[in-house]
Amino acid sequence: MRADVQLSDAMIDQSLDELQQRWFGARLREAQAWRPTPVCDVSVLKHEGGEHTRIFLKHAREDHLVGVVALHHVRLRAGAGIVTLSVPHSRLRRAVRGLGLARWVYGSALRDGARLLSSARQSAGAVRLWESLGRDHPRLDVWVEGRNVTLLSALQARSGQGTMEARWLLHPATCDLRALLGGNEGTGHEVVVPTRWKKPARC
């Protein structure tokens, strides 16, 4: 994956302001499903919706959206069948960055059974986040090109670092994702994006 994405604070604030207007109405603000996070004064709410799951983060006392993590769910046709992967994207306001919120959300998703696939392009901060998660969760290096995904060997992964097609795939320790992808490094599988996403079964 490439670390060439640059987002200014103004761009992030604008996207969150727009999201708050579209999604963050009174019904969401008053929802009883808000839960605390490890960060003081920040609450979290998960919203499931078709091919996307959105995790909203708001200031607990001011009903102000401070961040969102969106998971885009795709299905891959693998040697052992069909696997569902989630591609996460996060936006956090400057005031709550560096507090571990994104890492906590990603880690919670992995503990709940999600399999996280990095996007092709990342910011420098996102790359550091993935590196941190990769120290605590099983990681596979994969090559994505067009509608094909290939499991990479360690040598191929090193040579492919910094390219757009090389990505990281994190999965729960209880899930043998290497076997689900076919088990043999260098085997390609077709990527199938569903019209409607179904919640993946646990490994």
Side-chain angles (χ1 to χ4, degrees), residues 121-155:
R121 302 175 62 197
Q122 303 276 356
S123 67
V127 170
R128 290 192 294 270
L129 170 62
W130 280 88
E131 289 173 343
S132 176
L133 289 165
R135 290 191 286 270
D136 295 334
H137 301 276
R139 177 192 124 197
L140 296 175
D141 295 278
V142 295
W143 184 269
V144 178
E145 185 175 14
R147 294 174 60 85
N148 295 301
V149 57
T150 302
L151 189 63
L152 298 178
S153 67
L155 179 60

Side-chain angles (χ1 to χ4, degrees), residues 5 17 22 32 34 51 64 66-67 71 73 92 97-98 105 116 128-129 131 144 146 169 173-174 184 192 201:
V5 174
D17 290 343
R22 285 188 289 118
Q32 299 301 311
W34 287 99
E51 295 177 6
H64 178 59
V66 297
L71 303 177
H73 309 294
L92 297 176
R97 280 180 233 153
V105 172
L116 301 185
R128 290 192 294 270
L129 170 62
E131 289 173 343
V144 178
L169 182 55
T174 56
N184 297 321
V192 179

Side-chain angles (χ1 to χ4, degrees), residues 9-85:
D9 290 346
M11 293 170 63
I12 292 173
D13 289 345
Q14 180 180 355
S15 68
L16 289 174
D17 290 343
E18 293 173 353
L19 185 64
Q20 178 153 342
Q21 291 178 4
R22 285 188 289 118
W23 285 84
F24 203 61
R27 184 163 53 90
L28 282 179
R29 289 200 304 270
E30 298 170 1
Q32 299 301 311
W34 287 99
R35 295 292 181 265
T37 71
V39 177
C40 183
D41 288 335
V42 176
S43 299
V44 63
L45 175 69
K46 180 187 290 187
H47 182 271
E48 304 277 1
E51 295 177 6
H52 293 83
T53 296
R54 290 178 174 86
I55 296 96
F56 295 101
L57 297 162
K58 77 176 182 75
H59 193 284
R61 294 176 295 178
E62 299 178 1
D63 289 333
H64 178 59
L65 193 65
V66 297
V68 65
V69 176
L71 303 177
H72 175 56
H73 309 294
V74 295
R75 299 179 72 198
L76 307 182
R77 188 177 304 280
I82 301 295
V83 293
T84 301
L85 306 181

